[in-house]
Amino acid sequence: MRTVKKICCYAHLLAGMAFVAAACSNDDKDTTGPVITLEEPVDGDTVAAGSKHGVHIEFDLADESGLNTFKIDIHSGAGHSHESQAKAAETSDWSFLKTYDEAKGLKNHHVHVHSDSIWANATLGDYHFGISATDVHGNESTVWRTIKVVDPSEAGEEHEHSHDDDDDEDHAHEGE
Amino acid sequence: MRMKRLLFALYALTAAAAAFAQPPDSAAHTYDLDEVTVTGSAAAARRQLQPLSTLHAPKDYVMENRSNSLMNSIEKLPGVSAFQVGQGFSKPVIRGLGFNRLVVTENGIKQQEQQWGTDHGLELDQHGVEQVEVLKGPASLQHGSEAIAGVIAITSHAWRDSDGLTGAVLLNGGSNNRLLGGSGNVHYQKNGKFVEARATYQSFESYSIPADSFTYLTYIYPVHNRRLKNTAGREADALLQAGLRTGDYEASMLVSNVHEKTGFFAGASGLPFLINMDDNGRYRDIGLPYHSANHLKAILNQNLSLSNRGKLTLDLGYQHNLRQEYSPPHTHGFGAVPEGNLEVEMRLQTASMNAAWEGRSPAGSTLRAGINAEYQRNRVGGYMFLLPEFEQLTAGAFAVGRISIYEALTATAGLRYDGGAMHVHPYEGREGYFAVPELQKRDGSASFMAGMAYQPHPAWDLKANVGKSFRLPGVSEYASNGISHTMMRYEQGDSALRAEASYQLDLHAGFKRRWSDAFVGSLTAAVSLFGSYSPSFIFLNPTGDFSPLPEAGQTYRYVQSKASRFGGEAEAAVDFARIFRLAAAAEYVHATDVESGFPIAFTPPLSVVGELSVRRGKLLLFADSRVALACRYAAPQRRVARNELATPGYSLLDASITLGIPARKGSRCVATLALQVQNIFDVKHYKHLSFYRRLNLPEIGRNFLLSVQIPINT
């Protein structure tokens, strides 16, 4: 860091520019997006087709300049090729896309939500699960995970259980 | 009213030029700052009188520094950088501005495709380049809209010194991406006529990076066998040109076609899928997504000398750009998946005309006046909407005068006005998205320059210039309304944008001295500084709101703001002990959106290039040989725009050797052999100006480049 500053300053001396101070300091501008700490789901989590509770989602957002909006996007991970379209005759690619404004202006925010229920005829397989968040300046960050929509018979008991627990919770909580 | 004022200003300028007519300019010294000094050449003298800093890279320079693409071959020039589009293709950047803020010309005609984005390289055959001249600074006066950062002027015709048949066959290869290529030309000149034909082909595999994985959006992705999958490419070019010189008339014409096809790494279009990273061992295959471009061009240059009444020039050009992006369709929740893989197609046709008259007084003052006009027609195809169809007409008129105030001091001043009209076709869109209304836009802008060049002593060369340049907003800025998969964002135009203006001050000081019979044979040094301010800088601003479409990311809207840029270049070279040369060059740019305080995207970091070379007329069995060792240093770039990654610094070492092979002792060369090793230590590094920087992908590792050139001489 110090050598960089030194080189930067030398360059300015060399250039004979008057605004040395302005250039050598690092402008202290926030150019990075909110920090997304995703707790649920983790990579490889499964959820049953037809599940009324949908995907259980829990994460924290933090940004020094203040949060703006965030978005949850779940869509089929196989929907990007022709092959998947051919076999998708009897099932449909399920998807969930929602933007939330509840964190506007906050520095920290805890989110606990459920997606819409998953269709009984949802195409089984990999789905992309993404959270994107922006701060007040438009800095953006994104976290992606791959989850699986499986046949209800394959869905683990543990999973169903955790959903039951969530029923009496609010749609989303504000943190800190 | 405005027009009248303009005409009056032009008239005043003409009168001033005439009034200042002075005794003959005897300043015939040609202290050229180029590595290869073209003593006494008209071009060098012209560069010296030019009040803006210019760089000159002749054919030999391009050959000795030949890299995977033309801009990479000349990016060591101070103030010039290359925006990397994988390997094999690149885009020029001058002092941190590129795309539609600089102009590339070939034989005087403005090259189309520069205005397109980061996924698109310069469509020119680097083997066909005779010389490259870089003009740093506001050049709207000569080139109209977009010449804000400067001009890269490429010349592809050449008259030979003597009549006869000449030509060369060049074969080249590269180790990193298994580049295989060749270019051959034949040039026949007789009695003031010439014809030349050239063909070039190259093919390369996916390139290697010195890393086994990369981290993108919190995922760690593998890079199997260190090959960056689907970055292979091909290029096939053909050129035919002819020239004629009779008495006072000179003409040359060119017809060329450049065809490029290159694959994009999976993450360059939507999210990367692990399955797309699997190594299938077929590194030369170009799979989806890929890009294909075809650039057909015809240029006619004519020149008529009116003896004591000056000179007339007329350049006519026609270009047809076919650009196609292929990618498997995304549904975006619109139901049916579209047919086929053709995502975006653009068919852009451009007709250009430059006409100018140049008069010279007996005292050496000159006056040049002219008009430029350009007509464009764009048609689109593909299942994705990116740009609407449009027609555009732009035209401008200028006058520029140069007077010798006294022997060593020349002043140049000029004025110009351009107007443009654009008709954007409506696009109805799909289910409410992507719709663009019909649009009729008219805009115009004046530009000017005033500068001087002063040689207080034959060794010194001082220049100062102030100028205003501009650009008319492009169709993407007026009317974009769609997802950019390469940037993963939703881009929206604004039809209320005005022409972007930029005011710039340039200062340049150069020094050059030679000594005969001394240890130090010559010393050259130059410093160029600039500061610029734009009250109406156009850029894509993140809104902080998400597009309602999946995978569309944030909505970015084109806005205008106030921007400042300053920086400069310094270079020095010393020739010593007859055969050695030590050269160094540094460049720096500081660019800020002064309204928001955020830095401006794609600003290159401070960089320094140093090179030690030895040149000998004879080396063992070889003739005309050169050995060089170069170091390229780039400082970290931490001044980044919103959502732009900061880039760590790096140092790379390169070596090159060029050997001339004589048929027998003391005879002419029958072949030239050139070997380069780039990034000798296989250093993992990131380039701030790179299409793949966003994906956090390191740049190309060690690369050996070998070329053999066999001249045909009769």
Side-chain angles (χ1 to χ4, degrees):
Chain A
M1 190 61 207
R2 190 177 292 169
T3 52
V4 174
K5 276 192 179 167
K6 217 186 266 177
I7 290 164
C8 179
C9 289
Y10 279 141
H12 276 272
L13 282 179
L14 195 75
M17 285 303 200
F19 345 97
V20 178
C24 292
S25 68
N26 222 340
D27 293 50
D28 291 334
K29 278 301 215 178
D30 176 11
T31 55
T32 51
V35 177
I36 304 171
T37 313
L38 181 58
E39 287 151 34
E40 288 280 334
V42 299
D43 216 32
D45 266 4
T46 58
V47 55
S51 162
K52 284 198 177 61
H53 309 283
V55 183
H56 168 222
I57 305 157
E58 213 168 336
F59 58 93
D60 280 289
L61 297 175
D63 192 275
E64 54 185 64
S65 310
L67 298 160
N68 188 41
T69 60
F70 64 91
K71 176 177 90 164
I72 299 172
D73 179 355
I74 312 172
H75 59 261
S76 170
H80 291 251
S81 67
H82 292 300
E83 298 88 83
S84 69
Q85 294 306 313
K87 70 184 179 208
E90 287 171 19
T91 62
S92 311
D93 287 348
W94 175 76
S95 68
F96 176 74
L97 180 70
K98 198 167 172 184
T99 303
Y100 302 80
D101 286 335
E102 65 195 39
K104 236 170 208 161
L106 300 174
K107 296 208 165 172
N108 293 285
H109 186 60
H110 180 77
V111 183
H112 176 190
V113 291
H114 282 247
S115 72
D116 293 345
S117 49
I118 298 164
W119 307 331
N121 70 337
T123 309
L124 305 182
D126 283 348
Y127 278 73
H128 281 127
F129 171 89
I131 296 168
S132 299
T134 56
D135 69 9
V136 291
H137 299 301
N139 291 308
E140 178 178 346
S141 41
T142 302
V143 168
W144 285 101
R145 296 287 182 265
T146 303
I147 59 171
K148 262 185 171 32
V149 171
V150 296
D151 192 85
S153 61
E154 291 170 46
E157 262 176 44
E158 191 196 319
H159 212 81
E160 289 299 326
H161 180 70
S162 75
H163 279 244
D164 289 339
D165 280 355
D166 293 334
D167 274 353
D168 47 3
E169 304 218 6
D170 281 353
H171 199 61
H173 299 282
E174 281 187 11
E176 288 140 89
Chain B
M1 190 60 215
R2 200 184 215 172
M3 215 44 217
K4 252 187 192 166
R5 225 180 286 164
L6 208 88
L7 283 172
F8 177 73
L10 286 181
Y11 170 73
L13 193 85
T14 322
F20 275 86
Q22 288 283 318
D25 176 13
S26 63
H29 29 258
T30 52
Y31 286 87
D32 199 343
L33 287 164
D34 306 333
E35 182 172 329
V36 179
T37 307
V38 193
T39 314
S41 91
R46 184 171 46 76
R47 280 196 292 279
Q48 192 182 20
L49 296 176
Q50 167 66 253
L52 285 169
S53 169
T54 55
L55 301 164
H56 178 230
K59 200 178 178 75
D60 295 352
Y61 179 90
V62 179
M63 166 134 187
E64 277 163 9
N65 292 280
R66 185 174 291 138
S67 199
N68 284 341
S69 61
L70 176 62
M71 285 316 303
N72 288 128
S73 305
I74 63 166
E75 70 177 324
K76 284 181 194 162
L77 293 173
V80 178
S81 345
F83 186 95
Q84 212 66 43
V85 188
Q87 285 300 315
F89 306 104
S90 59
K91 260 180 129 82
V93 172
I94 297 177
R95 291 168 161 175
L97 295 183
F99 309 98
N100 47 11
R101 289 192 179 91
L102 66 75
V103 163
V104 177
T105 60
E106 182 178 14
N107 302 342
I109 294 292
K110 192 191 280 185
Q111 172 92 0
Q112 297 301 321
E113 110 277 280
Q114 264 310 295
Q115 61 272 45
W116 292 337
T118 54
D119 51 351
H120 199 274
L122 182 64
E123 294 160 3
L124 267 170
D125 176 7
Q126 68 164 324
H127 301 291
V129 169
E130 285 291 329
Q131 64 158 339
V132 183
E133 203 171 84
V134 181
L135 180 69
K136 294 187 280 184
S140 275
L141 189 72
Q142 297 89 339
H143 297 275
S145 179
E146 303 186 350
I148 289 176
V151 180
I152 296 190
I154 289 158
T155 308
S156 54
H157 330 114
W159 286 91
R160 305 286 182 236
D161 293 336
S162 55
D163 282 0
L165 181 73
T166 53
V169 173
L170 177 117
L171 297 171
N172 62 324
S175 66
N176 183 293
N177 58 354
R178 311 289 192 271
L179 170 80
L180 289 171
S183 184
N185 76 314
V186 256
H187 184 285
Y188 180 70
Q189 181 175 321
K190 199 180 176 189
N191 301 332
K193 294 185 191 73
F194 84 82
V195 283
E196 184 177 15
R198 175 180 291 277
T200 298
Y201 180 80
Q202 67 172 15
S203 156
F204 50 89
E205 292 184 354
S206 290
Y207 63 96
S208 305
I209 58 173
D212 296 304
S213 65
F214 71 101
T215 307
Y216 175 56
L217 297 179
T218 67
Y219 252 90
I220 297 172
Y221 291 93
V223 181
H224 298 292
N225 289 322
R226 302 191 153 202
R227 300 293 283 262
L228 198 60
K229 196 174 171 184
N230 202 34
T231 56
R234 284 196 281 280
E235 179 177 347
D237 312 324
L239 174 145
L240 196 64
Q241 56 184 355
L244 169 76
R245 268 176 179 168
T246 56
D248 295 334
Y249 177 73
E250 186 179 322
S252 51
M253 58 156 293
L254 165 155
V255 178
S256 70
N257 194 72
V258 172
H259 185 85
E260 298 174 352
K261 183 177 170 183
T262 183
F264 287 130
F265 181 67
S269 175
L271 277 180
F273 291 69
L274 278 174
I275 191 162
N276 294 336
M277 314 262 164
D278 286 350
D279 188 1
N280 61 5
R282 300 207 300 269
Y283 301 119
R284 209 169 281 271
D285 285 4
I286 301 173
L288 294 168
Y290 70 86
H291 157 98
S292 146
N294 195 80
H295 194 152
L296 174 72
K297 190 190 283 183
I299 298 174
L300 175 66
N301 303 101
Q302 296 180 91
N303 226 308
L304 180 66
S305 174
L306 307 170
S307 57
N308 57 356
R309 276 167 297 151
K311 192 172 86 166
L312 283 175
T313 56
L314 179 67
D315 303 329
L316 298 172
Y318 170 78
Q319 293 171 76
H320 184 278
N321 292 76
L322 173 66
R323 170 189 170 178
Q324 293 171 315
E325 315 287 338
Y326 290 86
S327 184
H330 302 230
T331 64
H332 295 302
F334 290 129
V337 176
E339 283 291 305
N341 288 324
L342 178 61
E343 184 182 22
V344 174
E345 178 179 278
M346 282 185 229
R347 300 182 300 276
L348 177 68
Q349 286 173 284
T350 309
S352 340
M353 189 268 294
N354 309 322
W357 167 80
E358 188 174 321
R360 181 181 288 271
S361 79
S365 299
T366 59
L367 180 69
R368 188 176 153 83
I371 50 169
N372 308 78
E374 187 185 90
Y375 177 75
Q376 290 195 323
R377 182 176 188 269
N378 186 53
R379 292 294 176 263
V380 301
Y383 63 80
M384 259 287 295
F385 176 73
L386 193 65
L387 285 183
E389 303 193 331
F390 69 91
E391 285 94 37
Q392 184 181 26
L393 177 69
T394 49
F398 68 93
V400 53
R402 175 170 295 162
I403 52 172
S404 305
I405 292 174
Y406 67 93
E407 216 172 276
L409 179 65
T410 47
T412 306
L415 261 181
R416 177 184 177 111
Y417 187 82
D418 286 82
M422 187 191 279
H423 173 220
V424 179
H425 296 208
Y427 183 83
E428 58 196 34
R430 282 192 279 158
E431 303 187 19
Y433 295 112
F434 309 133
V436 172
E438 184 169 10
L439 203 61
Q440 295 279 3
K441 290 298 296 183
R442 271 171 208 282
D443 206 349
S445 182
S447 35
F448 68 83
M449 69 163 285
M452 44 184 68
Y454 180 45
Q455 286 88 43
H457 176 272
W460 284 94
D461 194 12
L462 305 175
K463 294 165 190 281
N465 188 74
V466 57
K468 182 205 166 189
S469 49
F470 79 99
R471 70 184 184 92
L472 299 174
V475 67
S476 57
E477 290 156 326
Y478 280 140
S480 280
N481 194 23
I483 300 169
S484 161
H485 281 292
T486 54
M487 300 304 285
M488 285 174 77
R489 64 191 184 197
Y490 194 94
E491 298 180 353
Q492 248 177 8
D494 178 0
S495 59
L497 295 174
R498 296 162 292 125
E500 176 181 310
S502 170
Y503 299 87
Q504 184 162 324
L505 172 70
D506 279 271
L507 300 170
H508 174 90
F511 173 82
K512 172 150 191 162
R513 248 194 109 163
R514 290 167 192 283
W515 293 270
S516 48
D517 296 323
F519 176 73
V520 173
S522 83
L523 180 68
T524 57
V527 177
S528 304
L529 302 173
F530 74 95
S532 89
Y533 173 74
S534 169
S536 45
F537 189 80
I538 301 172
F539 71 104
L540 262 178
N541 190 48
T543 59
D545 295 323
F546 289 104
S547 155
L549 303 180
E551 277 197 57
Q554 218 186 127
T555 300
Y556 278 63
R557 211 161 282 140
Y558 281 101
V559 296
Q560 284 187 300
S561 184
K562 297 174 175 62
S564 82
R565 260 180 341 117
F566 64 86
E569 301 85 41
E571 58 179 317
V574 56
D575 287 301
F576 60 99
R578 288 165 188 275
I579 57 169
F580 292 95
R581 181 180 177 87
L582 185 63
E587 60 187 70
Y588 179 72
V589 188
H590 186 101
T592 312
D593 168 3
V594 291
E595 266 181 44
S596 69
F598 285 107
I600 287 168
F602 295 136
T603 299
L606 165 76
S607 71
V608 183
V609 180
E611 187 179 65
L612 177 66
S613 59
V614 188
R615 197 186 284 274
R616 294 210 64 172
K618 235 182 96 196
L619 179 73
L620 304 172
L621 293 171
F622 304 104
D624 296 333
S625 302
R626 181 178 184 267
V627 181
L629 200 63
C631 174
R632 287 181 276 157
Y633 166 77
Q637 180 56 288
R638 294 202 182 84
R639 293 195 77 253
V640 290
R642 282 164 288 175
N643 300 316
E644 185 182 32
L645 286 176
T647 304
Y650 59 84
S651 293
L652 306 178
L653 199 65
D654 303 332
S656 69
I657 178 161
T658 310
L659 299 169
I661 301 168
R664 42 179 203 282
K665 219 174 165 185
S667 80
R668 272 194 321 214
C669 290
V670 292
T672 307
L673 204 71
L675 175 70
Q676 281 190 65
V677 197
Q678 296 173 338
N679 191 2
I680 293 175
F681 296 111
D682 206 21
V683 173
K684 178 180 167 182
H685 67 290
Y686 300 89
K687 202 171 169 185
H688 194 64
L689 301 185
S690 173
F691 176 59
Y692 289 124
R693 176 70 193 110
R694 191 180 59 80
L695 295 176
N696 208 21
L697 282 165
E699 291 297 318
I700 189 166
R702 184 188 299 120
N703 192 17
F704 290 86
L705 289 164
L706 180 69
S707 71
V708 187
Q709 176 157 317
I710 303 157
I712 312 164
N713 290 314
T714 52

